[in-house]
Amino acid sequence: MLNFDEQRYLRIQSGAVALAGRFDEVIGRCLEAGADSVFFLGTGGAAILMQPAYQLLQRRSRFPAFIDLTAELVITGSANLTRNSIVVMPSLSGTTKESVALLAKIKEIGATVLTLVGHAETPLGQGGDHVFVNFAEDDTSCESFYLQSLFVALSIMKHRGEIANYDQLIGEIQALPAGLLAVKRAYEGQAEAFARVLAGSDYHIVTGAGNVWPEAFYYGMCILEEMQWIRTRPVHASDFFHGTLELVEKGVSVILFKGEDACRPLADRIESFAPSYTDKLTVLDTAAFDLPGMSSELRALLSPVLLAAVLERISAHLEVMRDHPLTTRRYYKKVAY
């Protein structure tokens, strides 16, 4: 595979999977001690990656779950953020300035902070009450963060008696790192063609629904815009027919991500509509990926993880095709993330 270290990938995703037991232990202790809410408070891309876990709790649990923008929360605070809150703060670098600033305020409140970092010797690595360290880099962090936040959500539901098959799901996930690697290998032959679509336009409408919408948002903003300087318009499939459809015409690229959760019909509607008005609809559907041994329920939960795994392969070809390394930035150092 192009520019890819298989063993490194397996180590990183296996490291994330190995944290499931500790997450369950920590969440159990927090709930036993009286925790009454959970906040997912990342910054930028790391915050977006927390959205599927937040959404899962919003829709399948009565436990109060919140997600907010750290830069705003530092200024405004929240009446719901109290000493009885669990706060989940992801930051690959462990130095993200908005998150570090918010951590100081959360410490004053007295909430219990779980930091998810790639490096222990950092402000967030040192500042959490419970620190979960799993080294990763930009090309491997999505799957890791998706999985860690999923473990938080599933554990909350388990301890509250809101899910009956927690052990089964966690058991199935043990085989996921090897499964994801197999998915990458199988998709490699198609990745260049998808990358060519992305390289062929300086503007893309990127859309999706349910738990894969965050990956559409993330890939448009954090990869295509930040790392490739390609303009995008990420729009939720629920909103597509309330404005963005008017921009669709011949020559306009629409990139559709399809997952396997209950919101899939929203993506189906766009897939039916777009070809009548544009010759540039491109679909990435997780249902096409072979993942033996995974139940349909788990596949639905893992749809954003599967997309992240395949999109990394697409990005690897895209940076070569455009002679624009994913690490090239204009302003990144100036904002000191």
Side-chain angles (χ1 to χ4, degrees), residues 73-87:
L73 205 56
V74 168
I75 298 169
T76 65
S78 169
N80 293 298
L81 180 56
T82 74
R83 64 184 306 274
N84 292 323
S85 299
I86 302 168
V87 175

Side-chain angles (χ1 to χ4, degrees), residues 38-42 47 50-51 53-55 57 65-68 86-90 149-150 152-153 156:
V38 61
F39 279 73
F40 294 93
L41 299 177
M50 299 293 104
Q51 289 183 17
Y54 159 76
Q55 183 187 84
L57 289 171
F66 302 88
I67 198 163
D68 212 325
I86 302 168
V87 175
V88 180
M89 298 190 75
S149 58
L150 176 62
V152 171
I156 288 172

Side-chain angles (χ1 to χ4, degrees), residues 214-225:
E215 183 61 20
F217 183 17
Y218 176 92
Y219 194 73
M221 184 179 79
C222 297
I223 309 300
L224 295 184
E225 292 183 349

Side-chain angles (χ1 to χ4, degrees), residues 76-131:
T76 65
S78 169
N80 293 298
L81 180 56
T82 74
R83 64 184 306 274
N84 292 323
S85 299
I86 302 168
V87 175
V88 180
M89 298 190 75
S91 170
L92 183 60
S93 68
T95 62
T96 312
K97 64 180 183 180
E98 291 94 338
S99 295
V100 171
L102 184 59
L103 177 63
K105 289 185 174 292
I106 293 172
K107 288 291 190 180
E108 294 175 4
I109 294 169
T112 300
V113 181
L114 282 60
T115 56
L116 321 181
V117 298
H119 307 275
E121 299 301 320
T122 58
L124 290 174
Q126 297 294 309
D129 297 298
H130 303 280
V131 180

Side-chain angles (χ1 to χ4, degrees), residues 1-7 9 180-189 191 309 312-313 316-317:
M1 287 187 280
L2 180 67
N3 294 337
F4 186 71
D5 184 334
E6 294 190 3
Q7 292 307 310
Y9 183 77
L180 290 175
L181 180 57
V183 167
K184 283 176 173 286
R185 287 173 175 162
Y187 190 78
E188 183 70 12
E312 181 276 327
R313 290 289 75 220
H317 286 270

Side-chain angles (χ1 to χ4, degrees), residues 82-243:
T82 74
R83 64 184 306 274
N84 292 323
S85 299
I86 302 168
V87 175
V88 180
M89 298 190 75
S91 170
L92 183 60
S93 68
T95 62
T96 312
K97 64 180 183 180
E98 291 94 338
S99 295
V100 171
L102 184 59
L103 177 63
K105 289 185 174 292
I106 293 172
K107 288 291 190 180
E108 294 175 4
I109 294 169
T112 300
V113 181
L114 282 60
T115 56
L116 321 181
V117 298
H119 307 275
E121 299 301 320
T122 58
L124 290 174
Q126 297 294 309
D129 297 298
H130 303 280
V131 180
F132 294 81
V133 182
N134 186 45
F135 170 79
E137 292 179 310
D138 286 342
D139 61 338
T140 53
S141 63
C142 286
E143 297 96 316
S144 177
F145 278 148
Y146 276 138
L147 287 170
Q148 291 180 64
S149 58
L150 176 62
F151 294 149
V152 171
L154 290 176
S155 182
I156 288 172
M157 294 168 66
K158 168 198 167 182
H159 288 285
R160 289 173 48 81
E162 295 171 327
I163 186 171
N165 60 339
Y166 171 89
D167 290 336
Q168 173 200 326
L169 294 174
I170 296 300
E172 289 180 26
I173 287 175
Q174 301 309 302
L176 184 62
L180 290 175
L181 180 57
V183 167
K184 283 176 173 286
R185 287 173 175 162
Y187 190 78
E188 183 70 12
Q190 304 170 59
E192 183 177 358
F194 200 113
R196 199 165 298 283
V197 171
L198 297 176
S201 175
D202 62 359
Y203 168 66
H204 301 277
I205 296 171
V206 188
T207 186
N211 65 3
V212 302
W213 155 243
E215 183 61 20
F217 183 17
Y218 176 92
Y219 194 73
M221 184 179 79
C222 297
I223 309 300
L224 295 184
E225 292 183 349
E226 178 185 334
M227 299 183 182
Q228 287 293 295
W229 307 347
I230 295 174
R231 294 172 178 85
T232 70
R233 166 66 165 102
V235 59
H236 195 289
S238 296
D239 296 324
F240 184 89
F241 291 96
H242 298 276

